[in-house]
Amino acid sequence: MIKTFTLSAIDHDQATPESGLIIWHVMDENNRKRLVKATTELSRQGFIKTIKPHNDREMPLVELLSYYVEGESFRIDFAMFNETFGYTSREVFAATQYQSDTARERMKKGIRQLFHVPF
């Protein structure tokens, strides 16, 4: 699966003297915004030594994000990583679409009940 991302912003908060949380704000080729989170290990001087993604499946994305600055776009192919680690292909944001469809139906039903509109 090949995806194109644009890096919008980077936030890094230091949790302890040895660790922090980094969040990349990215947008994909379909203009869907998403957050990619990782834990950072810091040096004594406060510089990032290592980065560990919160979601192991995002490892190749986190590795690439480390090389880009805000405003830059890049492409990534997850196929080899998914094959190597046994991840199956999946529809991106499928659960989100299902939830929004369900919410839409609940809202329509609620409005119909409110205004006594027959189904």
Side-chain angles (χ1 to χ4, degrees):
M1 172 188 346
I2 298 174
K3 298 286 293 172
T4 302
F5 293 101
T6 300
L7 179 56
S8 303
I10 305 169
D11 295 323
H12 185 260
D13 294 318
Q14 187 172 345
T16 69
E18 301 85 23
S19 68
L21 173 69
I22 191 166
I23 301 172
W24 291 275
H25 301 258
V26 297
M27 187 179 307
D28 72 6
E29 66 275 1
N30 298 315
N31 292 326
R32 290 185 181 133
K33 294 179 181 178
R34 116 181 223 200
L35 302 177
V36 179
K37 299 178 183 181
T39 302
T40 57
E41 180 184 352
L42 306 175
S43 68
R44 289 183 185 178
Q45 296 82 16
F47 296 110
I48 297 173
K49 290 187 343 185
T50 61
I51 300 174
K52 183 179 186 307
H54 283 190
N55 181 346
D56 289 340
R57 193 169 184 154
E58 294 179 331
M59 189 179 307
L61 181 56
V62 167
E63 287 177 7
L64 267 182
L65 283 167
S66 302
Y67 294 104
Y68 291 94
V69 296
E70 295 172 0
E72 288 188 308
S73 296
F74 60 93
R75 291 174 52 107
I76 180 171
D77 185 355
F78 289 99
M80 184 181 295
F81 178 83
N82 290 343
E83 185 179 318
T84 302
F85 292 98
Y87 290 114
T88 57
S89 295
R90 63 180 181 174
E91 180 64 30
V92 179
F93 295 103
T96 305
Q97 180 63 39
Y98 173 74
Q99 289 173 354
S100 67
D101 288 347
T102 303
R104 185 179 305 119
E105 291 302 317
R106 282 194 311 249
M107 181 177 274
K108 282 172 41 178
K109 184 178 178 182
I111 290 171
R112 285 180 177 148
Q113 288 175 344
L114 179 66
F115 293 106
H116 304 289
V117 177
F119 289 86

